[in-house]
């Protein structure tokens, strides 16, 4: 059970290691949507993504409790960096199982934090097999990218800061995040429920990895009909744990096409002059697609990360 | 004579129309240089560049004094947007003479502010001819991109904010800007002389438009040996006016190659997650090239703008 105290404790624990990231607004984008958008810039976070929060909250506890001699995980990107970064802070070795198709810039960053990369085929089976081998060989503890209460509580702290800094006098009507495995979405929906109960939480999901809409409808963890999206951070499906929280606290999931994702990403680059990755543009794409639904509202959006391979841009 | 009062007045005049832009720091870049760098983010400024400051300071005075029925200028890019934006604020028509080779994104933005574009050949002669025609035909007043005390005083306000916000307790050792026509550099060197006299002001200049180094040496306005650089905002030469100020108050001009400019630009995009244009990366490129000269120092850098054509990136 992730209570308000769990999240507050997580925030205290990770605070010395993270940035309290800026919240930006943009007049042009507000005019285009007809709403007031507040962008929580986790692309400015340590390791370039919100994942630093969850990774740190888990790894700091593993280290403090002496739960293992090393950390391992599997990740296509930002969580890999987060765990590598967090492990370095506490002086534990990190073994990161990454699909060989992961962007080079993310592999370089993981190595830059001193972690060892174990490359595998880009399937869930291969990734989980790689992690099992690491646990056996090194006595490492798994920090799962999202199916972990500590990770979820850490991710919740991004929306906590957003609400504390900009949602006190006038609460947000909506807060949006993308949904992949559901760690950020779960955490965001919980902390919003605790701190700003009138605020709806909505997720943006790529059409090419649309498992969350299905899972919420059926009530059990479903697979996406097909996986093919530029939003490489959102290809994962939910877990029982994240689905349960999401069904309870998330108002809606809006799906968007890759074309809509790239258009939203380009708008942010051109108008806000900040670098965001495709996965990060999904909630804004959803807001642009469903303008009427957000007209006149106060909308918070967690910009999740900015780790793109500049050699492979979709423009 | 541009006094401290001139610049303070300019700041008061333009304050309602501009952002007091953020100052960012980055641990990775600091480590790479071995110095403490403070980036004044004028890429977040209105119109995406510091030029909004000088354009506004001139246009607001033209309007307040009833000096003309319209505004005209010639510019390859950001000054065009600045004048178009400023003219719209005061309700005057703007006629902008732009070389037909200017980036499409900048032309679109100028039109977006309601100004009329007059395209010309990409030579100084054609640009000046275009402006003369506009003055005759429309009774417009020229707001020159840099050879204008009002424009220089406006540009000075970026460094003024940087010094006020981050250079009070411990003064900067150095403040750097790029140099093209010298408006920003002149203004920066003046306000630094007034507010932080122990701080050296240094310019970065592309090797492929290296007129400022020559002009400072000879004491008269020289042409660059050749013009060929990715830094499209810095191809212009100095004027008598800017050269005089620069000779008096600027400590040094450091030249960098296009390769060094692109590497610095990429470093900022990847590590700071912000969009800057090639011209904007020139001072950081100079700092990276001459690390020893800046070791252990407190360094301010004006990031001048973020208006890039995402379809034509040098990565």
């Amino acid at each position: 059970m992730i209570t308000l105290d769990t999240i507050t404790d997580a925030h205290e624990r990770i605070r010395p290691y993270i940035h309290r990231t800026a919240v930006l607004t943009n007049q042009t984008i507000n005019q285009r949507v007809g709403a007031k958008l507040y962008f929580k810039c986790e692309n400015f976070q340590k390791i370039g993504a919100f994942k630093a929060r969850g990774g740190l909250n888990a790894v700091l506890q593993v280290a403090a409790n002496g739960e293992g001699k090393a950390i391992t995980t599997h990740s296509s990107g930002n969580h890999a960096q987060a765990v590598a970064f967090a492990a370095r802070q506490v002086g534990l070795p990190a073994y990161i199982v990454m699909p060989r198709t992961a962007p080079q810039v993310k592999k370089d960053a993981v190595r830059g934090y001193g972690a060892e990369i174990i490359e595998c085929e880009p399937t869930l089976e291969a990734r989980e097999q790689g992690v099992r081998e690491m646990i056996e060989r090194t006595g490492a503890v798994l920090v799962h990218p999202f199916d972990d209460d500590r990770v979820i509580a850490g991710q919740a702290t991004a929306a906590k800061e957003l609400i504390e800094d900009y949602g006190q006098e006038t609460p947000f009507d909506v807060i949006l995040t993308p949904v992949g495995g559901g760690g950020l979405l779960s955490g965001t929906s919980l902390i919003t429920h605790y701190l700003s109960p009138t605020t709806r939480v909505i997720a943006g999901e790529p059409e090419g990895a649309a498992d969350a809409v299905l899972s919420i409808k059926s009530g059990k963890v479903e697979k996406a009909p097909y996986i093919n999206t530029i939003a490489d951070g959102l290809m994962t499906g939910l877990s029982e744990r994240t689905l349960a929280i999401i069904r309870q606290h998330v108002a809606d999931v809006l799906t968007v096409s890759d074309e809509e994702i790239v258009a939203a990403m380009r708008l942010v680059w051109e108008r806000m002059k900040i670098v965001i990755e495709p996965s990060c543009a999904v909630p804004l794409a959803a807001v642009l697609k469903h303008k009427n639904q957000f007209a006149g509202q106060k909308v918070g959006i967690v910009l999740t990360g900015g780790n793109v391979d500049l050699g492979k841009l979709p423009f």
Side-chain angles (χ1 to χ4, degrees), chain A:
Chain A
M1 173 71 180
I2 302 170
T3 65
L4 176 56
D5 278 351
T6 321
I7 298 169
T8 305
D9 289 350
H11 207 189
E12 290 310 310
R13 186 176 296 116
I14 69 177
R15 203 187 292 275
Y17 304 93
I18 61 164
H19 297 303
R20 191 171 186 106
T21 51
V23 174
L24 297 182
T25 61
N26 186 275
Q27 215 179 315
T28 309
I29 298 178
N30 282 348
Q31 282 166 357
R32 192 169 303 187
V33 177
K36 281 209 82 171
L37 273 50
Y38 294 76
F39 295 96
K40 174 70 173 166
C41 289
E42 289 292 298
N43 54 330
F44 294 161
Q45 189 50 271
K46 291 280 178 187
I47 73 119
F50 75 94
K51 296 259 183 184
R53 298 174 182 269
L56 275 164
N57 191 43
V59 169
L60 289 171
Q61 289 179 77
V62 169
N65 304 337
E67 293 173 26
K69 291 180 293 185
I71 309 284
T72 187
T73 195
H74 61 85
S75 162
S76 62
N78 288 332
H79 179 66
Q81 290 187 57
V83 167
F85 169 74
R88 167 165 278 190
Q89 306 307 310
V90 298
L92 286 178
Y95 303 101
I96 315 289
V97 179
M98 290 182 87
R100 54 174 175 69
T101 51
Q104 189 58 42
V105 65
K106 297 189 177 178
K107 290 183 193 166
D108 291 347
V110 167
R111 283 200 193 92
Y113 293 120
E116 190 179 311
I117 294 177
I118 297 91
E119 290 205 357
C120 72
E121 289 306 300
T123 66
L124 187 59
E125 291 69 32
R127 287 160 61 151
E128 291 179 343
Q129 176 60 24
V131 161
R132 275 194 301 272
E133 286 173 21
M134 280 305 111
I135 293 173
E136 268 176 43
R137 230 176 66 194
T138 68
V141 171
L142 167 65
V143 173
H144 191 277
F146 55 89
D147 193 29
D148 180 320
D149 280 358
R150 292 165 169 180
V151 170
I152 293 171
Q155 318 302 32
T157 60
K160 179 168 180 280
E161 292 176 6
L162 177 61
I163 293 167
E164 286 171 354
D165 293 346
Y166 289 87
Q168 298 285 18
E169 285 182 31
T170 316
F172 287 101
D173 295 299
V174 196
I175 292 179
L176 294 105
T177 75
V179 59
L184 176 66
L185 180 59
S186 301
T188 301
S189 70
L190 284 169
I191 193 66
T192 304
H193 170 68
Y194 296 136
L195 296 184
S196 187
T198 62
T199 304
R200 281 167 303 137
V201 173
I202 294 179
E205 183 169 48
E207 283 173 7
D211 60 286
V213 249
L214 291 183
S215 304
I216 289 170
K217 216 174 274 174
S218 77
K220 55 193 203 323
V221 173
E222 304 279 359
K223 283 198 171 161
Y226 65 99
I227 306 255
N228 181 16
T229 173
I230 191 172
D232 60 350
L234 305 179
M235 291 177 170
T236 337
L238 302 178
S239 68
E240 299 288 349
R241 183 192 315 258
T242 54
L243 175 59
I245 301 169
I246 289 167
R247 286 199 82 199
Q248 199 174 351
H249 295 297
V250 172
D252 204 359
V253 178
L254 303 172
T255 56
V256 287
S257 69
D258 273 16
E259 204 181 323
E260 290 159 343
I261 294 170
V262 172
M265 177 175 165
R266 185 167 192 144
L267 183 66
V268 167
W269 286 48
E270 284 187 348
R271 290 297 173 162
M272 299 180 63
K273 310 298 178 192
I274 61 174
V275 172
I276 62 167
E277 54 189 269
S279 305
C280 181
V282 170
L284 177 60
V287 169
L288 288 164
K289 186 175 187 173
H290 299 274
K291 276 181 212 173
N292 294 343
Q293 185 174 333
F294 300 97
Q297 300 194 4
K298 178 171 177 178
V299 179
I301 292 181
V302 182
L303 289 182
T304 49
N307 293 326
V308 285
D309 201 332
L310 292 179
K312 289 183 185 169
L313 293 178
F315 310 127

